[in-house]
Amino acid sequence: MTFEEIYSSIKKQEYAPIYFLMGEESFYIDKITDYILENALPQAERDFNQTVFYGKDADIANIMDTARRFPMMSTRQLVVVKEAQQLKNIELLDTYIKNPLKSTILVINYKYKSLDKRKAFTKNVAQYGILFESKKIYENQLPDWISKYTSSLKLKIDTKASILLSEFLGNDLSKISNELDKLSINIPQGNTITADDIEKNIGISKDFNNFELQNALGKKDVVKANQIINYFSTNEKNNPIYVTIALLHSYFSKILKFHFLKNKTNDKITASALGVNPFFVKDYKSAARLYNPKKLVSIINLLREYDLKSKGIGNVSSKNGDLLKELIFKTLH
């Protein structure tokens, strides 16, 4: 089942006996679990009918014994196992999985990894309960995800603000949602979140950030690129060189890949091949006209060299700010 299907059913109080929630992205796992914890039982029934285990401190036998217990003065009980990836011999739960108690809701949080789908235990979970895999979202999917989440808060968000959030916070959906939740307190419903709102409320500069640096380099705008690098040099803590190098490596690698695409006329196909939002395809086309494949290979090698230097390999005394200035100078010339 999808997250939307599961969330829709639990909102209708239609609960399955088992929820095995696994995967690298913890946001959806926490969202489902938190909703069940807050809504499956009335507050008055939780003392006797709600049990939360933590994988590191729990054992399978105790979990199964608790799950097999009948509820007290209630139609159901709730058993939640958090951090279940730390449980030893989790497959021993198979005995209960194949014969769950209908009056028990067993929720198992198996974060940051997934079960082997070829194994009998995983197949049994899918057969007798609900098996949900929460996969990491790709970089090119983030703007759409941010837009949808913002819409759920009865707000809108412009493209630049969305990019700033995703660049600053990466693809950690929990962090992104937390920041959007905070913004929703200060911005009236129906309004559009802008880059100015991001800068004012979250502290991300709308003019001096890695996305703007990428744009400046893509246009070979020497003045703008140097302004950003100078800002980074005086704010190294908030603009670590390893993040900048990693993002630039990804950016220039995509420009190089663009050169060798067979179909460059269809923006949707191009965006899919590059792993970017179609909105940005025009920027990659423009940058590809300024950087030929030979120059791009040279830049990518430079980025690797300066990544090592930033870690002290082949660099005795240069500060990271100075290294970044050298790197950008060589990139543009």
Side-chain angles (χ1 to χ4, degrees):
M1 290 180 74
T2 65
F3 167 76
E4 288 77 14
E5 289 171 336
I6 295 171
Y7 209 66
S8 176
S9 66
I10 60 179
K11 285 178 79 172
K12 296 174 187 174
Q13 291 283 303
E14 297 171 356
Y15 294 107
I18 299 164
Y19 292 90
F20 199 106
L21 314 173
M22 65 182 187
E24 293 181 32
E25 178 51 67
S26 64
F27 175 79
Y28 293 111
I29 295 173
D30 289 335
K31 190 94 171 166
I32 293 169
T33 304
D34 290 345
Y35 189 89
I36 293 174
L37 279 167
E38 291 167 11
N39 296 279
L41 295 173
Q43 183 72 45
E45 296 179 9
R46 293 177 190 174
D47 286 345
F48 295 106
N49 295 299
Q50 182 170 294
T51 307
V52 178
F53 291 99
Y54 289 87
K56 187 178 179 181
D57 304 314
D59 64 79
I60 300 296
N62 197 10
I63 293 170
M64 289 198 294
D65 286 344
T66 304
R68 288 184 177 125
R69 192 174 61 197
F70 287 98
M72 292 180 64
M73 296 177 289
S74 176
T75 57
R76 65 168 71 105
Q77 71 155 336
L78 174 62
V79 180
V80 176
V81 185
K82 295 188 174 184
E83 307 296 340
Q85 71 277 5
Q86 296 182 357
L87 268 174
K88 294 179 180 178
N89 304 315
I90 193 167
E91 292 184 5
L92 293 177
L93 274 173
D94 201 46
T95 306
Y96 180 81
I97 296 295
K98 289 188 288 188
N99 188 28
L101 200 65
K102 290 183 179 180
S103 57
T104 294
I105 303 170
L106 175 61
V107 182
I108 303 170
N109 286 7
Y110 195 82
K111 289 183 177 180
Y112 317 121
K113 58 198 296 190
S114 293
L115 295 173
D116 186 338
K117 294 176 184 176
R118 298 168 297 179
K119 291 190 174 182
F121 175 69
T122 313
K123 292 176 181 177
N124 287 336
V125 171
Q127 180 179 348
Y128 296 101
I130 289 177
L131 178 66
F132 171 70
E133 184 172 16
S134 185
K135 296 180 179 179
K136 270 288 183 188
I137 192 168
Y138 291 110
E139 177 187 332
N140 61 313
Q141 297 172 315
L142 274 175
D144 284 341
W145 188 92
I146 290 171
S147 179
K148 287 178 182 176
Y149 190 84
T150 306
S151 180
S152 74
L153 300 173
K154 295 182 172 54
L155 291 167
K156 299 175 184 176
I157 187 167
D158 68 27
T159 302
K160 187 172 181 180
S162 177
I163 292 163
L164 284 175
L165 264 184
S166 58
E167 182 220 291
F168 189 72
L169 300 173
N171 61 348
D172 188 323
L173 301 187
S174 295
K175 287 183 179 179
I176 293 172
S177 63
N178 284 340
E179 294 299 342
L180 288 171
D181 289 342
K182 292 175 189 174
L183 281 169
S184 70
I185 297 170
N186 299 317
I187 299 173
Q189 289 186 355
N191 284 19
T192 299
I193 298 170
T194 65
D196 287 331
D197 294 319
I198 299 294
E199 184 173 51
K200 180 181 176 182
N201 293 280
I202 302 177
I204 308 170
S205 172
K206 69 180 191 301
D207 297 313
F208 301 103
N209 56 71
N210 284 308
F211 175 70
E212 291 299 331
L213 175 61
Q214 176 180 295
N215 273 349
L217 292 174
K219 297 172 183 175
K220 287 201 170 181
D221 186 337
V222 177
V223 174
K224 181 64 175 177
N226 282 318
Q227 286 175 340
I228 295 170
I229 290 305
N230 286 332
Y231 176 84
F232 282 7
S233 297
T234 57
N235 296 271
E236 288 188 24
K237 185 178 179 180
N238 294 325
N239 301 279
I241 187 172
Y242 68 87
V243 173
T244 299
I245 289 176
L247 290 171
L248 291 181
H249 185 278
S250 174
Y251 175 63
F252 284 109
S253 295
K254 286 170 183 173
I255 300 173
L256 179 61
K257 186 175 182 179
F258 176 84
H259 275 287
F260 298 99
L261 292 178
K262 291 181 180 179
N263 186 345
K264 297 186 180 75
T265 56
N266 187 308
D267 285 359
K268 191 172 182 181
I269 293 173
T270 301
S272 178
L274 296 179
V276 301
N277 189 289
F279 180 83
F280 300 111
V281 169
K282 64 182 186 300
D283 297 329
Y284 283 90
K285 287 181 178 179
S286 175
R289 288 193 286 270
L290 297 176
Y291 294 92
N292 61 41
K294 184 178 179 181
K295 177 62 176 176
L296 289 164
V297 170
S298 173
I299 290 171
I300 290 167
N301 286 332
L302 268 175
L303 289 164
R304 289 171 180 161
E305 175 189 340
Y306 276 80
D307 180 51
L308 292 173
K309 284 185 175 182
S310 71
K311 295 167 182 171
I313 301 172
N315 171 41
V316 179
S317 58
S318 294
K319 295 181 179 179
N320 283 347
D322 294 330
L323 287 175
L324 202 49
K325 289 177 182 178
E326 287 178 20
L327 171 61
I328 299 307
F329 178 82
K330 291 180 181 179
T331 298
L332 289 166
H333 296 85

